[in-house]
Amino acid sequence: MEKFNHHFRALFQQLGLPASDGDIAAFIQQHSPLAKNMALPDADFWSVSQSQFLREQLADDADWAEVIDQLDVALR
């Protein structure tokens, strides 16, 4: 099983999602592949608040943006 770095775990915790390596791997497997033309925050598996958080962090190029981009790649 692929190991996920601390930053992935912290992002999942920030989003209120289970954050063990197994939970993260299962989430990625369950929600992949994300359509190439869909922005990550627009995916239908996010709650409104999760989507808003992702959108704001990316728009502001905030500290979370890099790990959000990593999650986006992992879901493609």
Side-chain angles (χ1 to χ4, degrees):
M1 177 179 293
E2 181 178 350
K3 293 287 183 180
F4 295 96
N5 66 31
H6 175 72
H7 294 104
F8 247 30
R9 184 168 300 179
L11 176 61
F12 272 64
Q13 290 170 337
Q14 180 68 26
L15 291 168
L17 298 172
S20 73
D21 286 347
D23 293 326
I24 293 168
F27 180 92
I28 291 170
Q29 183 177 12
Q30 179 181 356
H31 298 295
S32 292
L34 190 62
K36 291 183 182 192
N37 62 343
M38 178 176 290
L40 179 64
D42 295 337
D44 63 0
F45 48 81
W46 301 120
S47 69
V48 172
S49 62
Q50 290 169 330
S51 178
Q52 182 178 5
F53 171 79
L54 295 169
R55 194 175 325 283
E56 288 173 357
Q57 296 303 303
L58 290 170
D60 293 344
D61 197 24
D63 291 342
W64 289 108
E66 184 176 343
V67 72
I68 292 169
D69 287 340
Q70 292 172 2
L71 177 59
D72 191 1
V73 169
L75 288 166
R76 303 286 171 174

